[in-house]
Amino acid sequence: MEAAQETRNLTGIRQIILVLSGKGGVGKSTISTELALALRHAGKKVGILDVDLCGPSIPRMLKVQDKAVHQCDNGWVPVFVDQEQTISLMSVGFLLEKPDEAVVWRGPKKNALIKQFVSDVAWGDLDYLIVDTPPGTSDEHISTVEALRPYKPLGAILVTTPQAISVGDVRRELTFCKKTGLRVIGIVENMSGFVCPHCSECTNLFSKGGGEELARHAKVPFLGCVPLDPQLTKSLEEGQDFIQEFPKSPAFPAFISITQQILDGTLAQTS
Amino acid sequence: MWRRWPEVQPRLVPAAGKVQKWKRFRRTALEPAVPRRGKGHLVRDARTSVCAPPGLAPPPTRVALLDIDICGPSIPKMMGLEGEQYVEENLGVMSVGFLLGSPDDAVIWRGPKKNGMIKQFLRDVDWGEIDYLIVDTPPGTSDEHLSIVQYLSAAHIDGAVIITTPQEVSLQDVRKEINFCHKVKLPIIGVVENMSGFICPKCKNESQIFPPTTGGAEVMCQDLKVPLLGKVPLDPQIGKSCDNGQSFLTEVPDSPATLAYRNIIQRIQDFCGLHSSKEEKLASS
């Protein structure tokens, strides 16, 4: 009975995309959130599964941090971000009694919750399920990939900053993908340059080009560079829809381009 | 300032000024300061890396840097130790990065195996006599963090330095990290706000790339009654130094970020100095 229910909760999802990085602080949650918003603007129905159990950032980024999760016959009902129910979200952030409560769990407990998140959330019909992960190649990643394997994820987007220090860890993440049989959709180079709003001088705060070079070296697609953009950071702080509100902002074209490549890639795969 | 540990036979030698032969020795170690973070891995690695060399380690201070970010071991590269075994005479480094054959090798381990590695790093490494043991941790509040606190409990950790960036998205995780420290009775030396503003090299105007929409670390520290050790501004030279394995403090001595780091390091040393003299008084009474 449990196996049948497990299949039912994910069979309505057309494509599953994981967002990974070997490194912390590179912007996985940012990329996951903006990708979801851009796909929504392209007319798609999107779910986000936040498996960063120690640092669940996405509820705040979508302004739903005060919402609660409800139960239904098929399991948990994800939190809808909008009235039209075009974006839904599940995160451990919704299960904490207090927002500052730390999730101090060892691997086995984390693995158990991730299994529940994969099988017991009643997503309904979705075009895309985006899975945001914590940095690394450990319990959460192994469990998530194992639990999702029967549903054949489209693949993984790897996020890096341009610096060698970040690229060095993302190389290891690429190995993780290879070893677990997870297709790499492509690499995104985040925090790629900052254009001063006062004088338009571009400064490469975290170096430049590391992500593109890694993609070339590993023979995987390079999806694009996302520049540092204070308006983007502020939108995430305030839970605003950056794609809707700031189409002229420096980061906007990058997100649209990345999303278009995913849509084109999906189309190519299904045809 | 010293804790004598039982004689053990070391099996691992840290990268240090001299590659020591395996031998029996009496190992002593100072209570370590344990930097940890809630968010921003990049952030913290840069901090510990630049903190450990000249800042904390003008001779004769002896410093050891232990990297327990098993999945993302960045310290060897930041210290310029890829393929090398030497840093300085008075600075030793240990990381899983040294044990991996290729830069593409991934450490795909669940918690118990990571814990085993951390135990080995602490028990079986020939640290020699050191004044400061700095432990760099991965993001989160999980196996590595629980284990390091547990394994070092007999050594009486001086405290934790917690790194954040100014935005609420970072602070909300750092509050969890602070609660973790309270839960496991780990003293908090203080919080460092990294990436705190950027001054354009051309027009000298300041931009808040990571805006402190809820008051940044300053307000959080006031609310939670923990010290704010300092704010480090963004400087592209920091990332460059880390990528090249150079000491930012030595390479760019005039940067505002260098001044910020030095002030923070001084406050950490003052805290540790005060902490040990209190313990000595207790021990002698």
Side-chain angles (χ1 to χ4, degrees):
Chain A
M1 194 58 201
E2 213 182 278
Q5 186 175 346
E6 185 177 21
T7 313
R8 219 182 316 135
N9 276 336
L10 286 179
T11 45
I13 300 172
R14 293 177 61 206
Q15 304 290 357
I16 299 172
I17 296 175
L18 283 82
V19 179
L20 303 172
S21 179
K23 199 107 193 101
V26 298
K28 286 180 294 312
S29 298
T30 300
I31 300 296
S32 298
T33 302
E34 299 309 322
L35 187 58
L37 292 168
L39 284 168
R40 192 256 299 267
H41 282 285
K44 303 296 175 189
K45 214 167 167 217
V46 188
I48 308 175
L49 176 57
D50 179 5
V51 298
D52 189 344
L53 304 182
C54 297
S57 307
I58 302 201
R60 190 183 179 90
M61 290 178 168
L62 291 168
K63 213 176 188 169
V64 288
Q65 64 268 38
D66 298 324
K67 298 271 171 89
V69 161
H70 302 288
Q71 292 273 339
C72 70
D73 289 340
N74 295 334
W76 281 320
V77 180
V79 169
F80 291 105
V81 164
D82 54 340
Q83 277 195 332
E84 299 81 21
Q85 300 191 348
T86 51
I87 297 188
S88 51
L89 168 64
M90 179 52 76
S91 168
V92 78
F94 299 129
L95 307 177
L96 302 173
E97 276 185 23
K98 291 181 212 166
D100 297 341
E101 191 182 320
V103 173
V104 185
W105 294 349
R106 289 195 183 269
K109 211 166 170 181
K110 291 197 282 188
N111 299 337
L113 184 62
I114 287 170
K115 273 199 187 111
Q116 263 196 287
F117 271 176
V118 170
S119 64
D120 292 352
V121 176
W123 294 106
D125 290 331
L126 294 176
D127 295 301
Y128 290 93
L129 177 65
I130 295 168
V131 184
D132 185 34
T133 62
T137 49
S138 189
D139 284 280
E140 294 90 331
H141 314 86
I142 301 168
S143 297
T144 303
V145 170
E146 272 174 10
L148 288 174
R149 201 187 302 277
Y151 309 103
K152 297 188 184 37
L154 182 65
I157 293 174
L158 270 62
V159 183
T160 183
T161 58
Q163 282 173 270
I165 290 292
S166 175
V167 166
D169 284 344
V170 176
R171 279 176 82 163
R172 305 187 199 281
E173 198 76 31
L174 279 167
T175 304
F176 171 83
C177 291
K178 210 172 179 179
K179 283 197 163 162
T180 55
L182 188 59
R183 179 181 156 247
V184 176
I185 298 172
I187 291 178
V188 171
E189 183 179 293
N190 196 21
M191 304 196 195
S192 191
F194 172 65
V195 177
C196 177
H198 306 280
C199 68
S200 300
E201 167 86 352
C202 180
T203 306
N204 291 322
L205 274 163
F206 303 113
S207 195
K208 180 94 181 150
E212 191 161 6
E213 201 182 309
L214 176 63
R216 211 174 314 133
H217 165 85
K219 298 185 179 46
V220 298
F222 181 63
L223 297 176
C225 294
V226 180
L228 282 159
D229 184 342
Q231 241 163 15
L232 170 64
T233 331
K234 197 154 170 283
S235 293
L236 292 161
E237 287 284 279
E238 291 165 3
Q240 287 177 300
D241 184 343
F242 172 80
I243 304 292
Q244 170 119 323
E245 305 294 326
F246 301 107
K248 291 197 177 19
S249 208
F252 178 85
F255 288 126
I256 298 304
S257 163
I258 292 165
T259 308
Q260 195 54 55
Q261 290 177 75
I262 289 169
L263 289 167
D264 293 343
T266 315
L267 206 64
Q269 235 201 4
T270 48
S271 68
Chain B
M1 298 268 266
W2 301 93
R3 283 275 184 276
R4 285 232 166 86
W5 289 9
E7 281 192 17
V8 291
Q9 293 187 358
R11 273 177 272 146
L12 294 167
V13 178
K18 271 190 195 145
V19 177
Q20 294 178 359
K21 277 195 177 159
W22 176 95
K23 61 178 187 235
R24 277 188 97 88
F25 75 120
R26 197 198 305 273
R27 201 164 46 139
T28 54
L30 188 68
E31 298 92 46
V34 181
R36 70 180 53 245
R37 57 167 294 294
K39 199 109 191 142
H41 190 139
L42 271 169
V43 163
R44 172 191 35 91
D45 281 348
R47 274 281 297 115
T48 54
S49 167
V50 301
C51 191
L56 256 186
T61 314
R62 292 153 295 191
V63 183
L65 180 54
L66 172 58
D67 178 7
I68 62 166
D69 189 344
I70 310 284
C71 296
S74 306
I75 299 283
K77 186 170 184 68
M78 287 178 147
M79 302 293 256
L81 286 174
E82 286 182 327
E84 291 287 321
Q85 290 292 304
Y86 296 83
V87 187
E88 305 278 345
E89 276 288 329
N90 63 327
L91 174 60
V93 178
M94 182 51 78
S95 166
V96 83
F98 295 131
L99 309 177
L100 299 172
S102 143
D104 293 317
D105 283 350
V107 178
I108 308 172
W109 291 352
R110 289 195 184 271
K113 212 164 170 183
K114 290 194 284 185
N115 299 337
M117 183 89 259
I118 293 169
K119 214 183 239 181
Q120 249 201 300
F121 277 162
L122 291 172
R123 186 190 58 206
D124 296 343
V125 170
D126 181 358
W127 292 109
E129 293 187 0
I130 51 175
D131 298 301
Y132 289 92
L133 173 64
I134 299 175
V135 183
D136 187 29
T137 64
T141 49
S142 189
D143 281 278
E144 296 89 333
H145 314 87
L146 286 165
S147 294
I148 194 73
V149 169
Q150 191 188 325
Y151 300 152
L152 283 176
S153 57
H156 298 293
I157 303 173
D158 282 67
V161 175
I162 303 178
I163 320 294
T164 185
T165 50
Q167 331 93 291
E168 178 56 29
V169 160
S170 177
L171 297 173
Q172 73 180 7
D173 286 347
V174 169
R175 287 193 199 94
K176 295 187 207 300
E177 199 73 46
I178 290 172
N179 280 329
F180 167 82
C181 291
H182 291 324
K183 234 180 195 170
V184 300
K185 298 190 185 4
L186 178 59
I188 296 173
I189 300 175
V191 172
V192 172
E193 184 181 275
N194 199 11
M195 304 195 189
S196 192
F198 171 66
I199 296 183
C200 177
K202 191 176 178 194
C203 68
K204 309 295 177 202
N205 280 301
E206 190 180 12
S207 294
Q208 292 288 350
I209 297 177
F210 302 108
T213 56
T214 55
E218 199 158 348
V219 169
M220 181 193 70
C221 287
Q222 276 167 9
D223 290 344
L224 299 179
K225 298 185 183 29
V226 296
L228 176 65
L229 296 175
K231 298 184 188 182
V232 184
L234 278 159
D235 184 332
Q237 298 276 54
I238 297 174
K240 224 182 228 175
S241 300
C242 290
D243 279 357
N244 295 334
Q246 293 164 323
S247 165
F248 170 74
L249 299 185
T250 313
E251 295 294 311
V252 198
D254 300 325
S255 166
T258 302
L259 181 62
Y261 278 132
R262 290 204 179 277
N263 289 337
I264 289 163
I265 290 164
Q266 188 58 56
R267 289 194 63 180
I268 295 170
Q269 284 180 292
D270 293 344
F271 178 95
C272 290
L274 198 67
H275 195 232
S276 353
S277 56
K278 270 189 191 160
E279 289 219 341
E280 275 170 8
K281 274 193 186 151
L282 278 169
S284 60
S285 64

